Amino acid sequence: MRLLLLGGSFNPVHVGHLMMAEGLGREFGYGLVLLVPSYKPPHKDIACDPGPEHRLAMLDLAVRGDPTMRVDDCEIKRGGISYTIDTLADIASRYALVGKPGLVIGDDLMPGFSTWHHPDAIAREADLICAHRKTGE
């Protein structure tokens, strides 16, 4: 299966997240979009965080009944700082992937991509998709 990953704090999840995920999945021909809420993002603090379990529950409710989207709690279960390369390895070990997974990265994060944990490995393991985000999303 062709898989697209969209990670983030999802604090809170909103229609912009879902529309972007659905649109990119359809546009690039992915059969399933995995939404992966972070336990603790390495590049930002989560303001007014209700906690990872509550963010996960909100995300589950938001995609309930949509067969093209699924929530994966691997980063919540892993705890600690959520590194993308670890998530990619975990997803690859549990899903029957066809080709590389797609990885959505907001255009606001692209300038700092070289500072991420193992950015070269991320670029080898996933097809990077840069998505425009309006300020505040």
Side-chain angles (χ1 to χ4, degrees):
M1 134 182 35
R2 293 199 69 226
L3 194 66
L4 179 66
L5 281 85
L6 174 61
S9 59
F10 298 103
N11 186 37
V13 61
H14 54 77
V15 71
H17 292 124
L18 303 177
M19 288 175 60
M20 179 177 58
E22 181 182 30
L24 290 173
R26 187 176 50 250
E27 181 176 344
F28 291 100
Y30 288 98
L32 181 65
V33 177
L34 276 187
L35 302 171
V36 184
S38 61
Y39 182 81
K40 179 174 177 16
H43 297 286
K44 70 176 182 177
D45 290 326
I46 304 174
C48 302
D49 187 7
E53 293 80 13
H54 289 290
R55 291 185 282 109
L56 176 65
M58 285 188 288
L59 199 54
D60 277 332
L61 286 170
V63 302
R64 183 177 289 167
D66 186 335
T68 66
M69 288 194 247
R70 184 179 305 160
V71 177
D72 192 290
D73 64 353
C74 65
E75 291 188 2
I76 304 285
K77 285 181 178 176
R78 193 165 52 242
I81 294 177
S82 300
Y83 291 116
T84 301
I85 193 63
D86 297 333
T87 300
L88 287 169
D90 183 85
I91 296 298
S93 74
R94 293 185 295 114
Y95 288 85
L97 300 178
V98 173
K100 291 182 189 180
L103 176 65
V104 179
I105 300 176
D107 60 354
D108 59 323
L109 299 176
M110 285 306 292
F113 180 72
S114 65
T115 67
W116 288 25
H117 190 66
H118 301 296
D120 293 338
I122 294 169
R124 277 193 310 273
E125 297 299 320
D127 292 323
L128 304 180
I129 298 171
C130 182
H132 175 67
R133 293 182 358 159
K134 294 179 183 175
T135 306
E137 289 184 8

